[in-house]
Each structure stands twice: as C-alpha cells, then as structure tokens.
Amino acid sequence: MTDAATTVGILYPGYSAEDDYPRAEGLLGDGSRLPLVHTEMREDAHRVDALLDIGGDEVLATGAAQVAAKAGPLDSIVWACTSGSFVFGWDGAAAQVAALQEVAGVPASSTSFAFVDACRRLGVTRVAVGATYPDDVAERFVEFLGTAGISVLSLSARGIITAAEVGTLPADLVLDFAAAADHPDAQAVLLPDTALHTVELLDDLDARVGKPVLTANQVSIWQGLRLAGADRGRPGLGALFAAG
C-alpha cells in the first residue's frame, strides 16, 4: 500500500465540524482520502443516554456499509466521536470497536482510543483536558484516560449540550479555551470533541499553549492513517503528525 492510496472511512455523528475532514485531506497533500458519512443521531445532546444511543452497534454497522458503498474499499475505519465511545467505559468502547471492525472488515478504532494512542506516541502521561461537555460527561473521559494510565491534572468543562453549538465556536475562542485549560505540569492539552473545528488551527494551538494540543478530529485522522499503515511525519497538522 502507498500513502497516496490510503482511504480511511470516517463515521461522524450529526452535523457540526464534519468539514474538518475535507480540509484535512488538503493539508495531508498526498492523495489520502477521508470519505465521511453522517451516522444517525436521533438526539443531539451531550447526555449519557443520548450518547449511548448514537454509538450503538447497529448505528455504526449501518454507517460502515454506507461509507464503503460511497468510497469503495477502505484501508481502515474510525468512529469519529469521543463522547459516543468513552461513555461506554473502556471495555464497552473496546467491544464497540471490535464490532465495527468485524462488520467493516478493516482495522477500526474510535476517537477515544485515538487519544490514548496519540498520548502514547508522544510519551505523554500527564494531561490537561478542555472539554466542551457538561461535567458528568467530561468526568467519564477522565475515567477512560485513567484506565490507560494517563493522569488528568486539570479538567475544564464548558457545559455545552449540543454538538451543533460546539461547531459554531470561532477560532479565537478555541485558542483561548485551549490556553485556559492548560496546567503547568501537563505534558499536553486534550480537546475531546469532534464537533469542535480544529484542523486548520493545529500548529497555532501548539504555539499558543507551548506544548502539544491534541484535538478530536486530529487524533481520529492520525489513528485512521496509522491503522492503514500510512503513519509518517506530516507538516501543518500539529506536534502529533510531526512526530511521524
């Protein structure tokens, strides 16, 4: 397989920051494809019951079939939703990915595991988290990271209920939010919401905070490429991609 032939299927719930993915295709600049389908979201809410619903096996299986029909053969597939994966807990999120991989027939992952693998790639074990979610949902992400041995030194939660609202946040606010979420002893800042536009801000985020800032859409794309065997250094997409 060559990098130029890499096709990563993206399953994305609802409508908010899905345009980050075609933007990322342009920034990758090597012909890699990130075909995306919108999976069913019966209710747009950062609430546990709604998140369990959008991450159900049947919903993802339908999405996998749709993205394969749209794009042809895939090299990997990613459930591009952080809260709709970590809300199941570590074991539940692992079962979710296993079921997706079985129906898709290619390596699969989710954004929650992508954050863990990205931290491991960078040697990061202490983080600060800037979450757009309500407190109870954000705490589940903290627990998920803790299971992987990643310590959350500080948690900032904005309490935004809908992904649609998160998708409207302007670049200057995203930069300010990341800087405010930092902790002096954290090795990286994590922004765990694929509804947040960040792909065109990745280098600016790292520069503003003075350390790696890992964002949901960034780690989702990186994970898909890594699983597809197209993991190499790429400029313009933050410290994670620069690490190769």
Side-chain angles (χ1 to χ4, degrees):
M1 178 194 314
T2 66
D3 286 357
T6 302
T7 301
V8 179
I10 302 295
L11 305 184
Y12 191 92
Y15 295 81
S16 45
E18 67 276 7
D19 47 340
D20 262 5
Y21 290 86
R23 287 174 179 146
E25 282 187 353
L27 291 170
L28 291 170
D30 61 4
S32 295
R33 299 171 59 222
L34 304 171
L36 179 148
V37 298
H38 297 274
T39 55
E40 183 178 15
M41 177 188 279
R42 282 182 277 264
E43 182 179 6
D44 179 8
H46 287 140
R47 201 179 63 240
V48 171
D49 61 326
L51 295 170
L52 291 170
D53 183 59
I54 67 171
D57 288 347
E58 291 185 4
V59 173
L60 300 192
T62 298
Q66 291 173 338
V67 76
K70 174 181 180 179
L74 304 175
D75 297 306
S76 63
I77 191 168
V78 177
W79 167 224
C81 183
T82 326
S83 55
S85 46
F86 70 68
V87 74
F88 289 85
W90 186 274
D91 291 343
Q96 181 189 62
V97 167
L100 176 58
Q101 181 162 310
E102 182 175 357
V103 298
V106 294
S109 190
S110 67
T111 309
S112 292
F113 287 116
F115 270 112
V116 170
D117 290 333
C119 285
R120 289 172 175 165
R121 168 56 60 85
L122 295 176
V124 166
T125 58
R126 304 184 311 277
V127 303
V129 172
T132 50
Y133 319 126
D135 289 339
D136 62 327
V137 174
E139 288 289 352
R140 290 188 177 224
F141 185 54
V142 173
E143 293 170 10
F144 188 91
L145 294 173
T147 303
I150 300 168
S151 299
V152 176
L153 304 183
S154 62
L155 170 64
S156 302
R158 289 188 63 90
I160 300 175
I161 296 298
T162 69
E165 181 180 350
V166 173
T168 68
L169 299 179
D172 58 346
L173 193 152
V174 175
L175 291 165
D176 289 346
F177 180 46
D182 190 22
H183 185 284
D185 296 325
Q187 297 164 294
V189 174
L190 276 53
L191 303 181
D193 194 344
T194 58
L196 195 64
H197 285 98
T198 61
V199 160
E200 293 183 320
L201 302 176
L202 296 171
D203 286 347
D204 290 340
L205 282 164
D206 289 352
R208 174 68 180 273
V209 180
K211 63 186 65 171
V213 177
L214 300 177
T215 78
N217 289 327
Q218 175 200 38
V219 301
S220 298
I221 295 161
W222 173 83
Q223 182 83 317
L225 293 169
R226 185 183 72 83
L227 291 176
D231 181 16
R232 62 173 179 77
R234 301 166 190 263
L237 290 162
L240 174 62
F241 277 85

